[in-house]
Amino acid sequence: FVEEGHIPYINAFQHFPEEMKLYGRDKGIFAIESWPDYEDIYNKVIEVATFLDLPRFPDITKECYLHPNILCMKYLMEVNLPEVLHVLTHKLLSPFFLLPEVDFLTFDPVAKMAKTVKYDVQAVAVIVVVLKLLFLLDDNLEWSLSNLAEKHNEKNKEDKPWFDFRKWYQVMKKTVDEKKQKWEEARAKYIWKSEKPLYHSSIDRSVVYKRREMVVNLQRQFSTLVDSVPTIGKKSPSSFQFNWIAEDTDQTCFHGHSLQGVLKKKGQSPITKNSLYWLSTQKFCKSYCKHVTTYEESNFSLSYQFILNLFSFLLRIKTSILHEEVSLIEKKLFKKRYSKTKKKSSRSRKVRRR
């Protein structure tokens, strides 16, 4: 939303009333010429809410868009994964709310122990953990399961197709690479100059406005000479960056695919055929903060890297931030394993789930 201009952040001073005069040092504050990242925007939102002593935010209930269950469904659709995965993400989220769910999720700036939740990061981290539970993501098992799904789909073309991880990977990689290229080109072509320029003092205001008017006229004349297509107006805001059900798309939609190839029934409840799991990290900082140690791509499988990079691109965050959230969820999920002291902490080691 910030990148597309739906939320005033870059050159936000253009939306200020005319009575607000900005001079001198104000230019260094408001004349932004770099793209902010997720952490920067997130931290500033928290600082402003705390500084203004804002009251408790509206409750994050199960019907709210920011609730993890709804966000998980949203991102499953976004990355073209089977919708049946939502059942597994819901089960995984249930035991995490040690406090009352609404109190845990709702931000209260004036509370003594104000809790903040990165809703989108939390939701996609849950999806990553579910994918590891199903496919292990060790650059081996997911491809073996893909072979089984491919053979089944060839023999049973009339039945509901089994989810093929390899085919999904190929579709997503091509789509994301194209999207990323367009995104990088748009960033490179972005014009940082604002329509309402800043000036150092009231004296040179008229000079700045005359220069700006001259630049706009030259751009208009140049566009006419090269017969360029006029720029399209701002698009309506949408939290979806991909559309897999559009009629004009030739990409495979995996929303309705089955997980029969990776799940089996045990009584009335389905369980994963895969009985192994590897922890994203076994090293947490020993200081008070207890955060995850530095993320290094070379320590992890290519499949895991791809999943992290995919979701990180969607959220415009660093892969290390998502990896840390995945690790924190695993720490709660496998609490007993983290409580044991281990002499060896090989990241590639596979542990059996109980």
Side-chain angles (χ1 to χ4, degrees), residues 136-186:
L136 193 59
L137 302 182
D138 67 339
D139 288 342
N140 184 18
L141 181 63
E142 61 268 34
W143 309 124
S144 300
L145 293 172
S146 296
N147 294 335
L148 296 175
E150 185 177 5
K151 291 178 181 178
H152 175 272
N153 293 338
E154 288 179 355
K155 294 180 180 178
N156 305 274
K157 294 184 178 180
E158 301 299 325
D159 297 340
K160 194 174 185 178
W162 286 7
F163 177 70
D164 186 337
F165 186 90
R166 180 187 291 109
K167 190 174 181 180
W168 171 83
Y169 167 83
Q170 293 170 347
V171 170
M172 288 305 303
K173 189 174 189 312
K174 178 183 177 183
T175 305
V176 173
D177 287 347
E178 292 174 354
K179 184 79 173 180
K180 191 176 292 186
Q181 183 178 355
K182 292 179 181 178
W183 173 70
E184 291 174 349
E185 289 175 355

Side-chain angles (χ1 to χ4, degrees), residues 98-251:
L98 303 177
L99 299 171
E101 186 175 351
V102 174
D103 292 337
F104 176 77
L105 293 171
T106 305
F107 177 49
D108 188 355
V110 298
K112 291 183 179 179
M113 296 292 291
K115 298 181 182 297
T116 57
V117 179
K118 298 176 182 177
Y119 303 104
D120 297 276
V121 181
Q122 181 190 70
V124 298
V126 169
I127 296 175
V128 173
V129 172
V130 168
L131 291 175
K132 287 180 66 179
L133 288 167
L134 290 173
F135 301 99
L136 193 59
L137 302 182
D138 67 339
D139 288 342
N140 184 18
L141 181 63
E142 61 268 34
W143 309 124
S144 300
L145 293 172
S146 296
N147 294 335
L148 296 175
E150 185 177 5
K151 291 178 181 178
H152 175 272
N153 293 338
E154 288 179 355
K155 294 180 180 178
N156 305 274
K157 294 184 178 180
E158 301 299 325
D159 297 340
K160 194 174 185 178
W162 286 7
F163 177 70
D164 186 337
F165 186 90
R166 180 187 291 109
K167 190 174 181 180
W168 171 83
Y169 167 83
Q170 293 170 347
V171 170
M172 288 305 303
K173 189 174 189 312
K174 178 183 177 183
T175 305
V176 173
D177 287 347
E178 292 174 354
K179 184 79 173 180
K180 191 176 292 186
Q181 183 178 355
K182 292 179 181 178
W183 173 70
E184 291 174 349
E185 289 175 355
R187 280 199 160 196
K189 295 177 182 178
Y190 187 81
I191 301 176
W192 292 102
K193 295 294 183 182
S194 60
E195 297 177 2
K196 182 181 177 182
L198 285 172
Y199 38 90
H200 290 284
S201 65
S202 58
I203 299 175
D204 58 358
R205 177 178 181 179
S206 57
V207 177
V208 171
Y209 271 95
K210 285 182 180 179
R211 287 178 180 175
R212 180 62 185 169
E213 186 178 358
M214 182 178 65
V215 170
V216 171
N217 289 333
L218 287 173
Q219 288 177 339
R220 189 183 299 113
Q221 293 175 25
F222 181 75
S223 299
T224 305
L225 289 172
V226 298
D227 194 24
S228 62
V229 180
T231 56
I232 303 173
K234 188 187 296 184
K235 297 180 181 179
S236 300
S238 173
S239 60
F240 285 90
Q241 300 178 55
F242 300 110
N243 185 4
W244 303 102
I245 57 176
E247 296 180 357
D248 58 343
T249 180
D250 57 350
Q251 301 284 17

